[in-house]
Amino acid sequence: MDAKPQTGEEITGRNQKNGMPPVPASTGRDCGSGPFRRLVLRGATIIDGTGAPPWGPADIVIENDRIAAIVAVGTPGKPISPSRRPPAGDEEIDCHGKFVTPGLIDCHAHAGVPYHALHGTPAPADYVYKLWLAHGVTTAREMGGFSGLGWMVEQRKASQENRIAAPHLVVHSYFPAVNDMLKTIHTPDEARAWLRDLKARGADGVKFFGAPPAIMKAALAECRELGLRSGCHHAQQAVTRMNALTTAEWGLTSAEHYYGLPEALYDNRVVQSYPAGYNYNDEYFRFSSAGQTFQQAAEPGSAKWNEVMERFLALDFTFVPTFSIYDANRDVMRTRRADWHDDYTWPSMWRFFQPARGGHGSYWFKWSTGNEIDWKQHYRLWMSFINEYKNRGGRVCTGSDSGFIFQTYGFGYVRELELLQEAGFNPLEVLRSATIQGAELLGIDAETGSVEVGKRADLLVLDENPLEDFKLLYATGALRLNDATGQVEWRQALRHTIRAGLVFDIPAMLADIRTMVADQKALEAEAAARTPETAPA
């Protein structure tokens, strides 16, 4: 009989038995300078993350890992008097004509996906972390801990100690109580004991997919008692017994994706109408039918719509929509041929994305125009609710869930910024969602999420105003015409990511990532030339 796994290691053990070990952990740091005793950013225009408009020029003084001073040093269009400026630093960055924002927070992230191992060598954590940092992500909430709680806690510590090049990591472990995934918790008492042990082992929170109601209710009460935060992907196998509003009323911290929200809005049914022959384990059925859930729900502005909206608002509930992870459902051809895949997408991850029965998120074997039309309507209704929720004072945070469905780490996060703008958020509201509101969700807003004295120096230095075009945040940049030369060029805004005072040079980091991907492709090509019958499919 197999030994009982440690708390937070259950799904990791199962995956390992099935040929999906934890992704290779980061063990060292080969980039980033500092933190410095005194670092000064000179002449920046500040976009502080709170929703306030840009202002400057200002000098920002960073001492070790903290913002020590923010000094207005002049007026736009006029020379800056040296007498107004703070004293010199040990290190300085010229930010005249540049923009400084808070570091971005990915509230739904995965530090690698073990499933990719079924398609060849999985990407190491270094690849994932560097892509996050190269897109300005300085904090990531790991949602599921699929490489194991012990693995994640050690990576979090290594990041805190600057032993690796990684964002700050917030660790949420999978709650094993769903039949179709992995279920080792069968009673409320087992749930409470499991959560106490999880807290003792160092987790920051819990990732739910659902559970029997008595277990879920007891678990959420225990989370509140222990100070563990919680997020839930309300899986179809559990959502009929508890939708997103049910769990919000029981104390859930955030709803992930959209699952459970349309079900809370049903006014002429309780269970979604599924097509004949539906089987949840057939991913084509799962995702094609999921695109019809909002069409079966109450209409925007209806009494039911307003009632549900008001109840969520009264609970001060948070939504993390992750619009980007389902973006391919609206136009798979566009998403599959995104500019970055050739140079930045890891080979085994690329193969994992391809059509295959049984592969999670690989349901393209008969994806149709009709499916895409369903999903476009789904997005219109979903975005309408999320935008109205924001307008009425609700918290909406930015998460990517990359590593699935043609979304590459970092790039998927920037796509989420674009999709929040599509939903109706203006650019300052998008940045607010990606910074201070994410920090509030994670309970770290006293530490990070805005450009303020006393906070941790999690900052971005950008050559261009990100509010004008989020496409300029992609590591590839965006294709633009240079009128002076008559030539097209790729313009990219992010110059430095600063994480707790540690400064990363983005062009150098991107060159390193491209080399990592190219080297892996070369290794695979060499192996295929030697033994073609064993080459990755």
Side-chain angles (χ1 to χ4, degrees), residues 201 341 460 505:
R201 292 198 67 214
H341 285 314
L460 308 182
D505 178 81

Side-chain angles (χ1 to χ4, degrees), residues 10-253:
E10 294 88 353
I11 201 164
T12 312
R14 186 203 66 176
N15 287 344
Q16 190 144 7
K17 289 178 182 176
N18 292 328
M20 298 175 284
V23 302
S26 180
T27 57
R29 179 165 65 85
D30 59 2
C31 58
S33 57
F36 301 95
R37 185 185 65 83
R38 182 180 173 87
L39 168 66
V40 183
L41 312 184
R42 297 285 189 189
T45 298
I46 296 173
I47 310 171
D48 70 10
T50 67
W55 69 278
D59 288 356
I60 303 170
V61 179
I62 299 167
E63 295 179 353
N64 298 310
D65 67 342
R66 295 281 150 179
I67 300 172
I70 302 172
V71 182
V73 295
T75 302
K78 295 183 68 175
I80 297 172
S81 170
S83 65
R84 301 184 63 171
R85 314 200 85 153
D90 304 306
E91 183 77 11
E92 298 199 357
I93 298 176
D94 182 0
C95 295
H96 296 87
K98 300 181 189 293
F99 294 79
V100 169
T101 74
L104 307 176
I105 298 173
D106 192 335
C107 290
H108 193 117
H110 299 291
V113 177
Y115 305 156
H116 297 169
L118 297 177
H119 299 271
T121 302
D126 273 330
Y127 163 82
V128 179
Y129 298 153
K130 287 179 178 180
L131 276 171
W132 280 340
L133 291 168
H135 288 90
V137 174
T138 56
T139 300
R141 179 174 67 152
E142 161 62 49
M143 289 300 281
F146 297 126
S147 288
L149 177 55
W151 188 100
M152 282 304 313
V153 167
E154 169 52 32
Q155 293 286 277
R156 182 182 65 192
K157 186 172 186 287
S159 176
Q160 290 168 343
E161 296 173 355
N162 291 334
R163 290 188 279 115
I164 62 175
H168 308 286
L169 297 171
V170 178
V171 182
H172 281 42
S173 293
Y174 166 68
F175 184 76
V178 181
N179 287 330
D180 64 293
M181 291 188 66
L182 177 66
K183 186 171 183 177
T184 63
I185 293 171
H186 301 275
T187 69
D189 283 344
E190 289 178 355
R192 286 186 281 263
W194 187 89
L195 288 162
R196 289 193 294 271
D197 198 24
L198 190 79
K199 174 74 171 181
R201 292 198 67 214
D204 300 302
V206 188
K207 165 74 173 294
F208 291 96
F209 284 86
I215 294 175
M216 189 77 170
K217 192 171 185 178
L220 289 171
E222 190 69 21
C223 283
R224 292 196 304 275
E225 186 72 21
L226 295 169
L228 289 170
R229 291 174 185 258
S230 54
C232 186
H233 168 150
H234 293 80
Q236 285 99 323
Q237 299 299 85
V239 75
T240 56
R241 295 200 283 178
M242 66 198 81
N243 59 46
L245 184 55
T246 312
T247 53
E249 290 174 333
W250 290 347
L252 183 71
T253 311

Side-chain angles (χ1 to χ4, degrees), residues 417-430:
L417 304 182
E418 292 191 285
L419 291 171
L420 285 168
Q421 187 172 358
E422 180 184 331
F425 290 49
N426 68 46
L428 279 170
E429 291 171 336
V430 173

Side-chain angles (χ1 to χ4, degrees), residues 188-398:
D189 283 344
E190 289 178 355
R192 286 186 281 263
W194 187 89
L195 288 162
R196 289 193 294 271
D197 198 24
L198 190 79
K199 174 74 171 181
R201 292 198 67 214
D204 300 302
V206 188
K207 165 74 173 294
F208 291 96
F209 284 86
I215 294 175
M216 189 77 170
K217 192 171 185 178
L220 289 171
E222 190 69 21
C223 283
R224 292 196 304 275
E225 186 72 21
L226 295 169
L228 289 170
R229 291 174 185 258
S230 54
C232 186
H233 168 150
H234 293 80
Q236 285 99 323
Q237 299 299 85
V239 75
T240 56
R241 295 200 283 178
M242 66 198 81
N243 59 46
L245 184 55
T246 312
T247 53
E249 290 174 333
W250 290 347
L252 183 71
T253 311
S254 64
E256 311 299 305
H257 316 306
Y258 62 88
Y259 304 104
L261 176 55
E263 288 84 356
L265 290 164
Y266 284 167
D267 59 356
N268 60 2
R269 72 195 72 221
V270 175
V271 179
Q272 176 186 351
S273 295
Y274 291 103
Y278 179 92
N279 186 319
Y280 178 74
N281 282 8
D282 182 319
E283 293 251 322
Y284 171 76
F285 271 122
R286 173 180 170 182
F287 282 94
S288 60
S289 296
Q292 299 167 354
T293 52
F294 269 107
Q295 295 177 57
Q296 298 178 28
E299 295 182 358
S302 65
K304 180 69 171 183
W305 175 282
N306 287 323
E307 174 196 341
V308 170
M309 178 83 63
E310 287 160 6
R311 289 172 71 188
F312 277 123
L313 288 166
L315 292 166
D316 191 27
F317 192 64
T318 300
F319 288 100
V320 184
T322 69
F323 291 126
S324 62
I325 197 58
Y326 306 108
D327 194 27
N329 293 347
R330 303 191 299 171
D331 189 345
V332 64
M333 292 179 181
R334 181 200 65 78
T335 313
R336 186 170 57 227
R337 291 311 312 147
D339 291 331
W340 44 86
H341 285 314
D342 290 344
D343 291 335
Y344 289 100
T345 298
W346 194 262
S348 63
M349 180 164 64
W350 177 251
R351 290 187 288 269
F352 172 74
F353 292 158
Q354 304 311 311
R357 289 192 178 275
H360 181 45
S362 303
Y363 41 85
W364 312 108
F365 42 84
K366 56 178 179 179
W367 202 250
S368 69
T369 301
N371 296 142
E372 293 188 352
I373 291 169
D374 275 343
W375 272 90
K376 286 173 183 175
Q377 177 64 3
H378 179 87
Y379 267 73
R380 281 191 287 270
L381 295 166
W382 180 19
M383 286 177 163
S384 179
F385 188 95
I386 294 298
N387 189 52
E388 184 178 337
Y389 191 70
K390 174 265 298 178
N391 289 343
R392 293 175 64 172
R395 185 183 301 105
V396 176
C397 297
T398 308

